[in-house]
C-alpha cells in the first residue's frame, strides 16, 4: 500500500486566492519520485473550488469532516454524497478539534460508514488525550479505536486510513520520539487485528499526526512504523509540506 501525506489546512487558509497560491506552490515544488499519495484538506468551499480548477493529478482533495446523514432534513450538514460528486476523495473524521466540540467515537463510526458508502476514503483520527507512566492511556486508545471503527466492515479495511493523532502532541514545537510514535502505531494495529483479524487489519494504512515538521519527518519514516503523516501547521507552508513529502522519496 502507498503511504499518504495529508495536509489539514484547518482554518489557516481563508480565501480561494490564498488557497490557489498555496496549491500552485505545492504543485510546483512537488518532489520527483514521491512514493506517497498526497492530499490536501482545505475548508469545504475551498476544497471544491480548488479541485475544480486544479488540472493536475498528483494532488488529491479532501475535507475536514462530513455528516453521517446522506440526505434528508439536516440543516447545515454536508453530505458525503455531495463531497464525492464535487471531486473530493478523502475526509478527515474525528479530529481532536472536532471531538472537543462533541464528536463521539460513535459519531465517528457512523460518519466513516456514510463516507465509505459514498466511496470516499475516510482518515479516522484516534489518539489518547494525555499519557501517564502506568500506561493507562492504552486502554483509552483501545476503546477509542474499536468504537470509532465499530460499524466499519472489515471488507472496507483497505479504503481506510487511521491517523494516530494524540491530542497532547498537536500544536507542539516537535513531534514525540519515533519510539513513542511507533508504540502507538503498533498498538493501533493490534487493536485492528482484534477487531477484524490479521488479514484485514494489515490492509489499513496507519499514519501519524501531531507537530510533524520537515526536520522530523525523515526520522519518523526511518525509525517508526509510520505509513504517512497528517500535517497541520506545516502543511500551509509549501516548502515545509514538500520537505515532509520528501521523506517518502
Ligand atoms: P499540527 O496539527 O501539525 O499543527 O500539530 C496536527 C493535527 O492537528 O493533527
Amino acid at each position: 500500500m502507498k503511504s499518504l501525506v495529508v495536509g489539514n489546512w484547518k482554518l489557516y487558509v481563508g480565501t480561494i486566492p490564498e488557497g490557489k497560491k498555496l496549491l500552485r506552490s505545492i504543485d510546483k515544488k512537488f518532489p520527483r519520485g514521491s512514493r506517497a499519495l498526497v492530499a490536501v484538506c482545505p475548508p469545504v468551499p475551498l476544497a471544491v473550488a480548488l479541485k475544480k480548477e486544479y488540472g493536475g493529478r498528483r494532488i488529491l482533495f479532501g475535507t475536514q469532516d462530513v455528516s453521517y446523514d446522506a440526505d434528508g432534513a439536516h440543516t447545515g450538514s454536508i453530505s458525503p454524497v455531495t463531497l464525492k460528486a464535487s471531486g473530493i476523495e478523502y475526509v478527515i473524521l474525528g479530529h481532536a478539534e472536532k471531538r472537543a466540540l462533541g464528536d463521539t467515537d460513535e459519531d465517528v463510526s457512523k460518519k466513516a460508514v456514510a463516507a465509505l458508502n459514498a466511496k470516499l476514503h475516510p482518515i479516522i483520527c484516534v489518539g489518547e488525550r494525555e499519557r501517564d507512566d502506568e500506561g493507562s492511556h492504552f486502554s483509552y486508545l483501545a476503546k477509542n479505536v474499536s468504537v470509532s471503527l465499530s460499524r466499519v466492515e472489515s471488507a472496507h479495511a483497505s479504503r481506510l486510513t487511521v491517523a494516530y493523532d494524540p491530542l497532547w502532541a498537536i500544536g507542539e514545537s516537535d513531534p514525540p520520539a519515533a519510539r513513542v510514535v511507533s508504540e502507538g502505531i503498533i498498538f493501533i494495529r493490534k487493536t485492528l487485528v482484534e477487531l477484524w483479524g490479521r488479514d484485514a487489519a494489515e490492509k489499513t494504512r496507519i499514519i501519524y499526526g501531531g507537530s510533524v515538521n520537515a526536520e522530523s519527518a525523515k526520522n519518523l519514516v526511518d525509525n517508526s512504523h509510520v505509513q504517512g503523516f497528517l500535517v497541520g501547521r506545516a502543511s500551509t507552508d509549501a516548502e515545509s509540506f514538500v520537505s515532509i513529502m520528501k521523506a517518502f522519496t
Side-chain angles (χ1 to χ4, degrees):
M1 125 202 10
K2 279 200 160 189
S3 299
L4 173 68
V5 179
V6 185
N8 177 5
W9 288 9
K10 304 193 181 184
L11 285 188
Y12 294 134
V13 181
T15 65
I16 293 173
E18 258 182 271
K20 275 188 192 168
K21 196 166 159 226
L22 176 57
L23 190 70
R24 228 179 281 130
S25 193
I26 295 170
D27 198 46
K28 221 165 113 198
K29 296 174 197 294
F30 203 95
R32 268 171 204 278
S34 171
R35 286 178 287 113
L37 298 170
V38 173
V40 295
C41 298
V44 173
L46 269 70
V48 173
L50 296 181
K51 164 66 193 177
K52 201 163 165 213
E53 154 136 347
Y54 180 64
R57 296 227 302 254
R58 52 197 183 181
I59 300 177
L60 305 165
F61 291 82
T63 62
Q64 303 166 19
D65 192 24
V66 76
S67 169
Y68 46 71
D69 295 301
D71 56 25
H74 304 288
T75 304
S77 299
I78 296 180
S79 162
V81 175
T82 310
L83 292 183
K84 180 67 185 178
S86 309
I88 302 302
E89 293 180 68
Y90 287 85
V91 60
I92 298 170
L93 298 177
H95 187 279
E97 287 151 15
K98 292 301 295 175
R99 289 178 184 267
L101 296 174
D103 259 24
T104 64
D105 291 339
E106 265 293 312
D107 294 333
V108 173
S109 176
K110 288 200 275 188
K111 288 179 179 187
V113 171
L116 286 164
N117 286 343
K119 307 263 182 287
L120 293 168
H121 296 279
I123 300 161
I124 301 179
C125 299
V126 297
E128 69 281 0
R129 290 178 197 165
E130 47 196 37
R131 291 171 75 80
D132 65 52
D133 293 342
E134 275 79 55
S136 65
H137 49 274
F138 285 119
S139 48
Y140 177 91
L141 186 57
K143 184 159 171 282
N144 188 208
V145 173
S146 52
V147 182
S148 297
L149 296 176
S150 56
R151 291 166 191 259
V152 176
E153 287 174 27
S154 59
H156 287 147
S158 63
R159 287 180 42 213
L160 278 188
T161 298
V162 174
Y164 177 49
D165 192 40
L167 181 62
W168 58 267
I170 297 173
E172 297 295 317
S173 50
D174 280 305
R179 177 188 54 78
V180 173
V181 171
S182 228
E183 214 175 74
I185 288 173
I186 290 167
F187 186 82
I188 291 168
R189 182 79 65 198
K190 178 175 149 278
T191 310
L192 295 182
V193 171
E194 281 159 18
L195 204 61
W196 295 330
R198 179 152 303 275
D199 283 357
E202 295 290 354
K203 293 185 180 147
T204 294
R205 178 189 296 113
I206 306 182
I207 67 176
Y208 168 74
S211 306
V212 177
N213 56 35
E215 293 73 49
S216 59
K218 182 81 178 118
N219 177 44
L220 287 174
V221 169
D222 290 344
N223 296 300
S224 78
H225 293 73
V226 77
Q227 294 169 309
F229 295 118
L230 176 60
V231 188
R233 285 157 300 164
S235 72
T236 56
D237 175 78
E239 195 70 52
S240 306
F241 191 53
V242 165
S243 307
I244 292 169
M245 288 180 214
K246 282 187 183 149
F248 293 99
T249 52

